[in-house]
Amino acid sequence: MNFEQNFTQLQKQQQQLTMTPQLQQSIQMLQYNRKDLVDFLKQKSLENPFISISVKSTTKSQGTSTQKYNSNQSHLNQTTTGSIWDTLATSSTTSLYAALLEQIYLSFRDTALRDLVIWLAQYIDNNGYLTLSLDEAIKLTQAEPFQLLDALTLLQQLEPAGVGARNLQECLMLQTERNNQAPNLAYLILEEEFEAFANRKWEHIAKRYAISLSDVQEVSDFVKTLTPHPGAIFSSTPTQYIRPDLSVKIDDEGQIVVRSVKSGLPVIVFQKEYYEELTAIKDKEVSTFIHDKQSEYEWLKKSLMHREESILRIGIAIVNAQKEFFLSEDHPIQSLTLKKIADELDIHESTVSRAVNGKYLTTEFGIFELKHFFTNALVTSSEEGEGSISSNQIKKKIQLIIQNEDTKKPLSDQKLVDLLKKGGIEISRRTVTKYREALFIPSSPKRKRFD
């Protein structure tokens, strides 16, 4: 019985609670992403003296096991290519507090006022906002109100613009005050009519300041360029990386090449010298220990190989099913389920689920989690008959319709329902609203422009 058959048999026996610890480990290894896999194997190396773990680095000399899918044929070809990069997910590790302290020491003389600025900086949250009121600050410091107000003014002059604000309104005002591109009335509108502006009561604003609706529109467009979280450019968390498990490229012949990325993949090494030292000891307990630990190494090595092969095999099946995503400029997602891939590869559906969990595929136009390619199908109707379309495809249609709408008369969600129905897609208004919000597209009243 091969490993895949053994693995499938295991899943059928789960209700009988006959799963061995080794098979449990194999399932865990398939489900782990690369970071969790490295941590898991490092723990095993601490428990097993015959095991050593290393992680492959990115070098051209290392090959990557790959499969080539010919978009014009149904067969798969084996090939070998070089490994690829890791992708940075989050960057800056400098804290906002450290950045503020550096500016304070460089900009202000050593005075009691500077000490108050430093004290206030302790109460700036990660978004850049001051988290206590001046009244609270007065009670805690026993300083005079005018002294704390001066300290706050100095703090709010630091970078990034908007830092030290006590609310969103003040945050936007601070940024506007320091922006030479701000429309003439932007600061005044934010100061005097913030609530009306936020609630799009623009006729009221236009009347009060004797300006046109297009002038208010200009202010709105400017405010959208500001940030409500000025401190968010800093991060106190360590740099994290997404390490792709697979890569997809289109070669010169128009073939889709699916690669299993070796870079960042843990390698398990057997400590042969220590093994030979222990085997020289003629002791029954030592012999049992050696046998158990050697067997564990062999199983882990086999499970690691099976994990890589499973992810590559499932990845190829996904790419095969979603080839238009990689070949077309608009990257359409076809309806695809875990069961469809499982049936095609003759494996259990839960195996596919574990294999795609936390695994990433990199392309020349972005990185995607393997789960991204699975979506339920919705039934459509047209003159040609019934068909199916994924939720992602419907979202793209909604996005396209809104992009081409008359911005002076934006389409309501019900109108979107009607337009989709004409195209053979019948979904409820509630579903349209959900998809629109998932695309971060505001409602029709908030999309209306007055240019």
mmCIF file of all heavy atoms in Angstrom, residues 97 100-101 104-105 108-124 130 132-134 136-156 158:
data_model
loop_
_atom_site.group_PDB
_atom_site.id
_atom_site.type_symbol
_atom_site.label_atom_id
_atom_site.label_comp_id
_atom_site.label_asym_id
_atom_site.label_seq_id
_atom_site.Cartn_x
_atom_site.Cartn_y
_atom_site.Cartn_z
ATOM 1 N N TYR A 97 6.696 55.660 18.790
ATOM 2 C CA TYR A 97 7.226 56.333 19.987
ATOM 3 C C TYR A 97 8.707 56.661 19.830
ATOM 4 O O TYR A 97 9.151 57.770 20.142
ATOM 5 C CB TYR A 97 7.004 55.450 21.213
ATOM 6 C CG TYR A 97 7.536 56.043 22.493
ATOM 7 C CD1 TYR A 97 6.964 57.189 23.039
ATOM 8 C CD2 TYR A 97 8.622 55.466 23.161
ATOM 9 C CE1 TYR A 97 7.450 57.745 24.222
ATOM 10 C CE2 TYR A 97 9.110 56.011 24.331
ATOM 11 C CZ TYR A 97 8.520 57.146 24.860
ATOM 12 O OH TYR A 97 9.015 57.694 26.028
ATOM 13 N N LEU A 100 9.129 59.568 17.470
ATOM 14 C CA LEU A 100 8.757 60.839 18.096
ATOM 15 C C LEU A 100 9.853 61.320 19.045
ATOM 16 O O LEU A 100 10.205 62.506 19.064
ATOM 17 C CB LEU A 100 7.433 60.682 18.851
ATOM 18 C CG LEU A 100 6.187 60.453 17.998
ATOM 19 C CD1 LEU A 100 4.972 60.205 18.879
ATOM 20 C CD2 LEU A 100 5.931 61.639 17.072
ATOM 21 N N LEU A 101 10.401 60.397 19.836
ATOM 22 C CA LEU A 101 11.477 60.777 20.769
ATOM 23 C C LEU A 101 12.673 61.345 20.023
ATOM 24 O O LEU A 101 13.273 62.346 20.444
ATOM 25 C CB LEU A 101 11.908 59.557 21.595
ATOM 26 C CG LEU A 101 11.007 59.143 22.757
ATOM 27 C CD1 LEU A 101 11.653 58.013 23.537
ATOM 28 C CD2 LEU A 101 10.746 60.320 23.692
ATOM 29 N N ILE A 104 11.883 64.846 19.016
ATOM 30 C CA ILE A 104 11.812 65.745 20.174
ATOM 31 C C ILE A 104 13.204 66.165 20.612
ATOM 32 O O ILE A 104 13.481 67.350 20.858
ATOM 33 C CB ILE A 104 11.052 65.070 21.332
ATOM 34 C CG1 ILE A 104 9.569 64.906 20.967
ATOM 35 C CG2 ILE A 104 11.175 65.886 22.620
ATOM 36 C CD1 ILE A 104 8.789 64.016 21.921
ATOM 37 N N TYR A 105 14.111 65.190 20.713
ATOM 38 C CA TYR A 105 15.476 65.494 21.161
ATOM 39 C C TYR A 105 16.228 66.349 20.144
ATOM 40 O O TYR A 105 17.074 67.165 20.515
ATOM 41 C CB TYR A 105 16.241 64.197 21.428
ATOM 42 C CG TYR A 105 15.840 63.534 22.728
ATOM 43 C CD1 TYR A 105 15.287 62.253 22.743
ATOM 44 C CD2 TYR A 105 16.011 64.191 23.949
ATOM 45 C CE1 TYR A 105 14.909 61.645 23.923
ATOM 46 C CE2 TYR A 105 15.637 63.579 25.140
ATOM 47 C CZ TYR A 105 15.081 62.309 25.126
ATOM 48 O OH TYR A 105 14.702 61.733 26.304
ATOM 49 N N PHE A 108 13.875 70.240 20.068
ATOM 50 C CA PHE A 108 13.582 71.096 21.209
ATOM 51 C C PHE A 108 14.732 71.114 22.221
ATOM 52 O O PHE A 108 15.399 70.100 22.441
ATOM 53 C CB PHE A 108 12.291 70.628 21.905
ATOM 54 C CG PHE A 108 11.123 70.458 20.972
ATOM 55 C CD1 PHE A 108 10.312 69.334 21.041
ATOM 56 C CD2 PHE A 108 10.834 71.418 20.006
ATOM 57 C CE1 PHE A 108 9.237 69.171 20.181
ATOM 58 C CE2 PHE A 108 9.759 71.270 19.143
ATOM 59 C CZ PHE A 108 8.964 70.137 19.223
ATOM 60 N N ARG A 109 14.907 72.270 22.839
ATOM 61 C CA ARG A 109 15.932 72.412 23.873
ATOM 62 C C ARG A 109 15.502 71.656 25.142
ATOM 63 O O ARG A 109 14.316 71.410 25.364
ATOM 64 C CB ARG A 109 16.155 73.884 24.203
ATOM 65 C CG ARG A 109 16.792 74.679 23.076
ATOM 66 C CD ARG A 109 17.072 76.114 23.478
ATOM 67 N NE ARG A 109 15.831 76.865 23.740
ATOM 68 C CZ ARG A 109 15.437 77.234 24.942
ATOM 69 N NH1 ARG A 109 16.151 76.915 26.012
ATOM 70 N NH2 ARG A 109 14.312 77.923 25.092
ATOM 71 N N ASP A 110 16.494 71.334 25.976
ATOM 72 C CA ASP A 110 16.238 70.597 27.212
ATOM 73 C C ASP A 110 15.596 71.522 28.233
ATOM 74 O O ASP A 110 16.271 72.213 28.998
ATOM 75 C CB ASP A 110 17.547 70.019 27.752
ATOM 76 C CG ASP A 110 17.306 69.113 28.965
ATOM 77 O OD1 ASP A 110 16.131 68.890 29.301
ATOM 78 O OD2 ASP A 110 18.293 68.659 29.569
ATOM 79 N N THR A 111 14.277 71.555 28.262
ATOM 80 C CA THR A 111 13.523 72.412 29.165
ATOM 81 C C THR A 111 12.393 71.609 29.795
ATOM 82 O O THR A 111 12.132 70.455 29.417
ATOM 83 C CB THR A 111 12.909 73.608 28.412
ATOM 84 O OG1 THR A 111 11.991 73.096 27.437
ATOM 85 C CG2 THR A 111 13.982 74.442 27.723
ATOM 86 N N ALA A 112 11.703 72.236 30.746
ATOM 87 C CA ALA A 112 10.553 71.592 31.375
ATOM 88 C C ALA A 112 9.454 71.342 30.339
ATOM 89 O O ALA A 112 8.727 70.338 30.417
ATOM 90 C CB ALA A 112 10.023 72.455 32.510
ATOM 91 N N LEU A 113 9.348 72.222 29.345
ATOM 92 C CA LEU A 113 8.344 72.053 28.300
ATOM 93 C C LEU A 113 8.648 70.814 27.461
ATOM 94 O O LEU A 113 7.742 70.061 27.096
ATOM 95 C CB LEU A 113 8.302 73.306 27.416
ATOM 96 C CG LEU A 113 7.246 73.301 26.296
ATOM 97 C CD1 LEU A 113 5.840 73.134 26.866
ATOM 98 C CD2 LEU A 113 7.332 74.577 25.470
ATOM 99 N N ARG A 114 9.938 70.603 27.152
ATOM 100 C CA ARG A 114 10.296 69.411 26.395
ATOM 101 C C ARG A 114 9.963 68.147 27.184
ATOM 102 O O ARG A 114 9.515 67.137 26.618
ATOM 103 C CB ARG A 114 11.782 69.414 26.030
ATOM 104 C CG ARG A 114 12.156 68.265 25.102
ATOM 105 C CD ARG A 114 13.620 68.274 24.715
ATOM 106 N NE ARG A 114 14.468 67.750 25.780
ATOM 107 C CZ ARG A 114 15.768 67.462 25.635
ATOM 108 N NH1 ARG A 114 16.341 67.689 24.466
ATOM 109 N NH2 ARG A 114 16.478 67.013 26.636
ATOM 110 N N ASP A 115 10.164 68.195 28.508
ATOM 111 C CA ASP A 115 9.831 67.039 29.350
ATOM 112 C C ASP A 115 8.342 66.711 29.261
ATOM 113 O O ASP A 115 7.946 65.532 29.247
ATOM 114 C CB ASP A 115 10.211 67.305 30.804
ATOM 115 C CG ASP A 115 11.718 67.364 31.007
ATOM 116 O OD1 ASP A 115 12.442 66.822 30.146
ATOM 117 O OD2 ASP A 115 12.161 67.943 32.018
ATOM 118 N N LEU A 116 7.502 67.753 29.163
ATOM 119 C CA LEU A 116 6.067 67.529 29.030
ATOM 120 C C LEU A 116 5.717 66.918 27.671
ATOM 121 O O LEU A 116 4.836 66.066 27.571
ATOM 122 C CB LEU A 116 5.300 68.850 29.217
ATOM 123 C CG LEU A 116 5.060 69.313 30.649
ATOM 124 C CD1 LEU A 116 4.343 70.650 30.658
ATOM 125 C CD2 LEU A 116 4.252 68.278 31.434
ATOM 126 N N VAL A 117 6.435 67.364 26.627
ATOM 127 C CA VAL A 117 6.213 66.789 25.291
ATOM 128 C C VAL A 117 6.557 65.297 25.306
ATOM 129 O O VAL A 117 5.815 64.458 24.766
ATOM 130 C CB VAL A 117 7.039 67.525 24.221
ATOM 131 C CG1 VAL A 117 6.829 66.875 22.851
ATOM 132 C CG2 VAL A 117 6.662 68.996 24.160
ATOM 133 N N ILE A 118 7.685 64.961 25.929
ATOM 134 C CA ILE A 118 8.106 63.556 26.040
ATOM 135 C C ILE A 118 7.072 62.758 26.824
ATOM 136 O O ILE A 118 6.716 61.630 26.463
ATOM 137 C CB ILE A 118 9.489 63.455 26.701
ATOM 138 C CG1 ILE A 118 10.558 64.073 25.792
ATOM 139 C CG2 ILE A 118 9.838 62.002 27.018
ATOM 140 C CD1 ILE A 118 11.922 64.188 26.442
ATOM 141 N N TRP A 119 6.558 63.367 27.898
ATOM 142 C CA TRP A 119 5.561 62.688 28.737
ATOM 143 C C TRP A 119 4.287 62.408 27.926
ATOM 144 O O TRP A 119 3.729 61.317 27.978
ATOM 145 C CB TRP A 119 5.248 63.552 29.963
ATOM 146 C CG TRP A 119 4.322 62.873 30.929
ATOM 147 C CD1 TRP A 119 4.653 62.011 31.927
ATOM 148 C CD2 TRP A 119 2.893 63.004 30.965
ATOM 149 N NE1 TRP A 119 3.530 61.582 32.582
ATOM 150 C CE2 TRP A 119 2.422 62.186 32.014
ATOM 151 C CE3 TRP A 119 1.973 63.735 30.224
ATOM 152 C CZ2 TRP A 119 1.081 62.073 32.345
ATOM 153 C CZ3 TRP A 119 0.616 63.621 30.538
ATOM 154 C CH2 TRP A 119 0.176 62.806 31.589
ATOM 155 N N LEU A 120 3.841 63.388 27.160
ATOM 156 C CA LEU A 120 2.643 63.202 26.336
ATOM 157 C C LEU A 120 2.848 62.127 25.276
ATOM 158 O O LEU A 120 1.927 61.386 24.940
ATOM 159 C CB LEU A 120 2.254 64.523 25.658
ATOM 160 C CG LEU A 120 1.575 65.589 26.517
ATOM 161 C CD1 LEU A 120 1.381 66.866 25.707
ATOM 162 C CD2 LEU A 120 0.235 65.093 27.044
ATOM 163 N N ALA A 121 4.063 62.048 24.738
ATOM 164 C CA ALA A 121 4.348 61.071 23.671
ATOM 165 C C ALA A 121 4.118 59.639 24.130
ATOM 166 O O ALA A 121 3.857 58.750 23.309
ATOM 167 C CB ALA A 121 5.779 61.245 23.168
ATOM 168 N N GLN A 122 4.211 59.411 25.451
ATOM 169 C CA GLN A 122 3.968 58.068 25.974
ATOM 170 C C GLN A 122 2.522 57.630 25.767
ATOM 171 O O GLN A 122 2.224 56.430 25.775
ATOM 172 C CB GLN A 122 4.273 58.014 27.468
ATOM 173 C CG GLN A 122 5.704 58.342 27.851
ATOM 174 C CD GLN A 122 5.870 58.339 29.360
ATOM 175 O OE1 GLN A 122 6.007 57.281 29.973
ATOM 176 N NE2 GLN A 122 5.824 59.517 29.966
ATOM 177 N N TYR A 123 1.635 58.606 25.602
ATOM 178 C CA TYR A 123 0.213 58.312 25.485
ATOM 179 C C TYR A 123 -0.291 58.387 24.042
ATOM 180 O O TYR A 123 -1.473 58.536 23.786
ATOM 181 C CB TYR A 123 -0.592 59.273 26.377
ATOM 182 C CG TYR A 123 -0.342 59.044 27.847
ATOM 183 C CD1 TYR A 123 0.693 59.712 28.505
ATOM 184 C CD2 TYR A 123 -1.095 58.131 28.574
ATOM 185 C CE1 TYR A 123 0.949 59.507 29.842
ATOM 186 C CE2 TYR A 123 -0.852 57.909 29.920
ATOM 187 C CZ TYR A 123 0.170 58.594 30.549
ATOM 188 O OH TYR A 123 0.428 58.370 31.889
ATOM 189 N N ILE A 124 0.617 58.272 23.091
ATOM 190 C CA ILE A 124 0.245 58.209 21.678
ATOM 191 C C ILE A 124 0.083 56.734 21.301
ATOM 192 O O ILE A 124 0.994 55.929 21.501
ATOM 193 C CB ILE A 124 1.321 58.853 20.778
ATOM 194 C CG1 ILE A 124 1.500 60.327 21.129
ATOM 195 C CG2 ILE A 124 0.958 58.698 19.307
ATOM 196 C CD1 ILE A 124 0.308 61.199 20.827
ATOM 197 N N LEU A 130 -3.605 60.795 20.574
ATOM 198 C CA LEU A 130 -3.377 60.988 22.001
ATOM 199 C C LEU A 130 -4.519 60.318 22.751
ATOM 200 O O LEU A 130 -5.690 60.594 22.488
ATOM 201 C CB LEU A 130 -3.315 62.475 22.333
ATOM 202 C CG LEU A 130 -2.954 62.832 23.778
ATOM 203 C CD1 LEU A 130 -1.540 62.393 24.109
ATOM 204 C CD2 LEU A 130 -3.119 64.333 24.011
ATOM 205 N N LEU A 132 -5.302 60.340 26.073
ATOM 206 C CA LEU A 132 -5.853 60.933 27.289
ATOM 207 C C LEU A 132 -6.173 62.394 27.032
ATOM 208 O O LEU A 132 -5.594 63.027 26.147
ATOM 209 C CB LEU A 132 -4.896 60.784 28.473
ATOM 210 C CG LEU A 132 -3.737 61.763 28.656
ATOM 211 C CD1 LEU A 132 -3.095 61.567 30.005
ATOM 212 C CD2 LEU A 132 -2.716 61.657 27.560
ATOM 213 N N SER A 133 -7.096 62.933 27.810
ATOM 214 C CA SER A 133 -7.504 64.316 27.636
ATOM 215 C C SER A 133 -6.538 65.246 28.361
ATOM 216 O O SER A 133 -5.749 64.805 29.214
ATOM 217 C CB SER A 133 -8.919 64.517 28.191
ATOM 218 O OG SER A 133 -8.913 64.353 29.606
ATOM 219 N N LEU A 134 -6.614 66.542 28.050
ATOM 220 C CA LEU A 134 -5.765 67.508 28.750
ATOM 221 C C LEU A 134 -6.123 67.585 30.223
ATOM 222 O O LEU A 134 -5.239 67.788 31.072
ATOM 223 C CB LEU A 134 -5.894 68.888 28.093
ATOM 224 C CG LEU A 134 -5.177 69.057 26.756
ATOM 225 C CD1 LEU A 134 -5.313 70.498 26.263
ATOM 226 C CD2 LEU A 134 -3.703 68.688 26.857
ATOM 227 N N GLU A 136 -7.110 65.112 32.095
ATOM 228 C CA GLU A 136 -6.448 63.951 32.721
ATOM 229 C C GLU A 136 -4.952 64.203 32.846
ATOM 230 O O GLU A 136 -4.328 63.837 33.858
ATOM 231 C CB GLU A 136 -6.706 62.696 31.885
ATOM 232 C CG GLU A 136 -8.149 62.222 31.916
ATOM 233 C CD GLU A 136 -8.415 61.100 30.933
ATOM 234 O OE1 GLU A 136 -7.818 61.116 29.832
ATOM 235 O OE2 GLU A 136 -9.222 60.210 31.254
ATOM 236 N N ALA A 137 -4.371 64.811 31.815
ATOM 237 C CA ALA A 137 -2.932 65.119 31.853
ATOM 238 C C ALA A 137 -2.607 66.097 32.968
ATOM 239 O O ALA A 137 -1.567 65.980 33.646
ATOM 240 C CB ALA A 137 -2.489 65.668 30.505
ATOM 241 N N ILE A 138 -3.470 67.086 33.184
ATOM 242 C CA ILE A 138 -3.258 68.076 34.249
ATOM 243 C C ILE A 138 -3.261 67.398 35.615
ATOM 244 O O ILE A 138 -2.410 67.682 36.480
ATOM 245 C CB ILE A 138 -4.341 69.173 34.180
ATOM 246 C CG1 ILE A 138 -4.140 70.037 32.925
ATOM 247 C CG2 ILE A 138 -4.314 70.052 35.435
ATOM 248 C CD1 ILE A 138 -5.294 70.980 32.639
ATOM 249 N N LYS A 139 -4.203 66.487 35.831
ATOM 250 C CA LYS A 139 -4.284 65.782 37.109
ATOM 251 C C LYS A 139 -3.041 64.925 37.351
ATOM 252 O O LYS A 139 -2.552 64.813 38.480
ATOM 253 C CB LYS A 139 -5.532 64.907 37.144
ATOM 254 C CG LYS A 139 -6.839 65.692 37.206
ATOM 255 C CD LYS A 139 -8.029 64.745 37.200
ATOM 256 C CE LYS A 139 -9.334 65.531 37.209
ATOM 257 N NZ LYS A 139 -10.531 64.624 37.165
ATOM 258 N N LEU A 140 -2.538 64.291 36.294
ATOM 259 C CA LEU A 140 -1.397 63.379 36.439
ATOM 260 C C LEU A 140 -0.068 64.110 36.589
ATOM 261 O O LEU A 140 0.848 63.631 37.270
ATOM 262 C CB LEU A 140 -1.330 62.430 35.230
ATOM 263 C CG LEU A 140 -2.450 61.392 35.126
ATOM 264 C CD1 LEU A 140 -2.388 60.672 33.786
ATOM 265 C CD2 LEU A 140 -2.338 60.383 36.261
ATOM 266 N N THR A 141 0.067 65.264 35.944
ATOM 267 C CA THR A 141 1.353 65.974 35.945
ATOM 268 C C THR A 141 1.388 67.157 36.897
ATOM 269 O O THR A 141 2.478 67.631 37.242
ATOM 270 C CB THR A 141 1.671 66.488 34.533
ATOM 271 O OG1 THR A 141 0.665 67.435 34.144
ATOM 272 C CG2 THR A 141 1.726 65.349 33.533
ATOM 273 N N GLN A 142 0.207 67.648 37.301
ATOM 274 C CA GLN A 142 0.110 68.853 38.121
ATOM 275 C C GLN A 142 0.666 70.075 37.397
ATOM 276 O O GLN A 142 0.997 71.090 38.036
ATOM 277 C CB GLN A 142 0.844 68.663 39.461
ATOM 278 C CG GLN A 142 0.278 67.554 40.327
ATOM 279 C CD GLN A 142 -1.172 67.808 40.716
ATOM 280 O OE1 GLN A 142 -1.501 68.871 41.248
ATOM 281 N NE2 GLN A 142 -2.033 66.834 40.446
ATOM 282 N N ALA A 143 0.769 70.008 36.078
ATOM 283 C CA ALA A 143 1.248 71.141 35.296
ATOM 284 C C ALA A 143 0.103 72.115 35.039
ATOM 285 O O ALA A 143 -1.078 71.768 35.153
ATOM 286 C CB ALA A 143 1.829 70.655 33.971
ATOM 287 N N GLU A 144 0.452 73.341 34.674
ATOM 288 C CA GLU A 144 -0.547 74.345 34.345
ATOM 289 C C GLU A 144 -1.179 74.004 32.997
ATOM 290 O O GLU A 144 -0.507 73.481 32.101
ATOM 291 C CB GLU A 144 0.091 75.735 34.272
ATOM 292 C CG GLU A 144 0.617 76.240 35.604
ATOM 293 C CD GLU A 144 -0.499 76.483 36.604
ATOM 294 O OE1 GLU A 144 -1.637 76.791 36.168
ATOM 295 O OE2 GLU A 144 -0.254 76.349 37.815
ATOM 296 N N PRO A 145 -2.478 74.322 32.828
ATOM 297 C CA PRO A 145 -3.158 74.009 31.563
ATOM 298 C C PRO A 145 -2.451 74.605 30.347
ATOM 299 O O PRO A 145 -2.332 73.925 29.317
ATOM 300 C CB PRO A 145 -4.547 74.623 31.758
ATOM 301 C CG PRO A 145 -4.759 74.606 33.243
ATOM 302 C CD PRO A 145 -3.411 74.858 33.838
ATOM 303 N N PHE A 146 -1.974 75.856 30.461
ATOM 304 C CA PHE A 146 -1.319 76.470 29.308
ATOM 305 C C PHE A 146 -0.011 75.761 28.960
ATOM 306 O O PHE A 146 0.392 75.725 27.795
ATOM 307 C CB PHE A 146 -1.093 77.975 29.550
ATOM 308 C CG PHE A 146 0.027 78.290 30.497
ATOM 309 C CD1 PHE A 146 1.333 78.434 30.043
ATOM 310 C CD2 PHE A 146 -0.226 78.449 31.862
ATOM 311 C CE1 PHE A 146 2.366 78.736 30.910
ATOM 312 C CE2 PHE A 146 0.810 78.746 32.732
ATOM 313 C CZ PHE A 146 2.107 78.884 32.258
ATOM 314 N N GLN A 147 0.664 75.201 29.982
ATOM 315 C CA GLN A 147 1.909 74.478 29.722
ATOM 316 C C GLN A 147 1.641 73.189 28.919
ATOM 317 O O GLN A 147 2.362 72.873 27.963
ATOM 318 C CB GLN A 147 2.594 74.127 31.040
ATOM 319 C CG GLN A 147 3.143 75.327 31.799
ATOM 320 C CD GLN A 147 3.731 74.928 33.132
ATOM 321 O OE1 GLN A 147 3.128 74.155 33.889
ATOM 322 N NE2 GLN A 147 4.908 75.446 33.438
ATOM 323 N N LEU A 148 0.607 72.461 29.319
ATOM 324 C CA LEU A 148 0.270 71.228 28.601
ATOM 325 C C LEU A 148 -0.254 71.522 27.205
ATOM 326 O O LEU A 148 0.008 70.773 26.262
ATOM 327 C CB LEU A 148 -0.771 70.428 29.391
ATOM 328 C CG LEU A 148 -0.178 69.541 30.487
ATOM 329 C CD1 LEU A 148 -1.258 69.020 31.414
ATOM 330 C CD2 LEU A 148 0.617 68.391 29.895
ATOM 331 N N LEU A 149 -0.977 72.615 27.055
ATOM 332 C CA LEU A 149 -1.465 73.004 25.734
ATOM 333 C C LEU A 149 -0.298 73.344 24.809
ATOM 334 O O LEU A 149 -0.284 72.946 23.634
ATOM 335 C CB LEU A 149 -2.409 74.192 25.845
ATOM 336 C CG LEU A 149 -3.195 74.557 24.574
ATOM 337 C CD1 LEU A 149 -4.018 73.377 24.082
ATOM 338 C CD2 LEU A 149 -4.075 75.764 24.814
ATOM 339 N N ASP A 150 0.722 74.037 25.362
ATOM 340 C CA ASP A 150 1.922 74.336 24.572
ATOM 341 C C ASP A 150 2.654 73.050 24.196
ATOM 342 O O ASP A 150 3.147 72.900 23.072
ATOM 343 C CB ASP A 150 2.861 75.252 25.366
ATOM 344 C CG ASP A 150 2.329 76.683 25.463
ATOM 345 O OD1 ASP A 150 1.407 77.009 24.691
ATOM 346 O OD2 ASP A 150 2.839 77.449 26.301
ATOM 347 N N ALA A 151 2.727 72.118 25.151
ATOM 348 C CA ALA A 151 3.409 70.847 24.885
ATOM 349 C C ALA A 151 2.683 70.062 23.798
ATOM 350 O O ALA A 151 3.307 69.469 22.906
ATOM 351 C CB ALA A 151 3.507 70.022 26.168
ATOM 352 N N LEU A 152 1.360 70.059 23.858
ATOM 353 C CA LEU A 152 0.581 69.353 22.848
ATOM 354 C C LEU A 152 0.766 69.985 21.471
ATOM 355 O O LEU A 152 0.890 69.290 20.466
ATOM 356 C CB LEU A 152 -0.899 69.351 23.230
ATOM 357 C CG LEU A 152 -1.851 68.687 22.218
ATOM 358 C CD1 LEU A 152 -1.464 67.232 21.983
ATOM 359 C CD2 LEU A 152 -3.292 68.799 22.683
ATOM 360 N N THR A 153 0.823 71.327 21.438
ATOM 361 C CA THR A 153 1.036 72.029 20.175
ATOM 362 C C THR A 153 2.364 71.628 19.545
ATOM 363 O O THR A 153 2.455 71.392 18.337
ATOM 364 C CB THR A 153 1.002 73.554 20.393
ATOM 365 O OG1 THR A 153 -0.276 73.915 20.927
ATOM 366 C CG2 THR A 153 1.227 74.296 19.082
ATOM 367 N N LEU A 154 3.409 71.541 20.377
ATOM 368 C CA LEU A 154 4.722 71.115 19.875
ATOM 369 C C LEU A 154 4.684 69.667 19.393
ATOM 370 O O LEU A 154 5.268 69.329 18.360
ATOM 371 C CB LEU A 154 5.779 71.280 20.968
ATOM 372 C CG LEU A 154 6.127 72.707 21.378
ATOM 373 C CD1 LEU A 154 7.140 72.709 22.517
ATOM 374 C CD2 LEU A 154 6.674 73.495 20.190
ATOM 375 N N LEU A 155 3.998 68.807 20.146
ATOM 376 C CA LEU A 155 3.889 67.402 19.759
ATOM 377 C C LEU A 155 3.191 67.262 18.409
ATOM 378 O O LEU A 155 3.592 66.453 17.559
ATOM 379 C CB LEU A 155 3.118 66.634 20.837
ATOM 380 C CG LEU A 155 2.883 65.135 20.591
ATOM 381 C CD1 LEU A 155 4.210 64.387 20.519
ATOM 382 C CD2 LEU A 155 2.001 64.553 21.678
ATOM 383 N N GLN A 156 2.167 68.077 18.192
ATOM 384 C CA GLN A 156 1.402 68.000 16.950
ATOM 385 C C GLN A 156 2.131 68.591 15.750
ATOM 386 O O GLN A 156 1.652 68.471 14.629
ATOM 387 C CB GLN A 156 0.049 68.691 17.152
ATOM 388 C CG GLN A 156 -0.874 67.945 18.100
ATOM 389 C CD GLN A 156 -2.197 68.650 18.316
ATOM 390 O OE1 GLN A 156 -2.327 69.853 18.026
ATOM 391 N NE2 GLN A 156 -3.185 67.944 18.838
ATOM 392 N N LEU A 158 5.149 67.520 15.029
ATOM 393 C CA LEU A 158 6.080 66.478 14.626
ATOM 394 C C LEU A 158 5.521 65.651 13.470
ATOM 395 O O LEU A 158 4.361 65.770 13.092
ATOM 396 C CB LEU A 158 6.387 65.573 15.829
ATOM 397 C CG LEU A 158 6.977 66.266 17.062
ATOM 398 C CD1 LEU A 158 7.174 65.265 18.189
ATOM 399 C CD2 LEU A 158 8.294 66.959 16.717
#
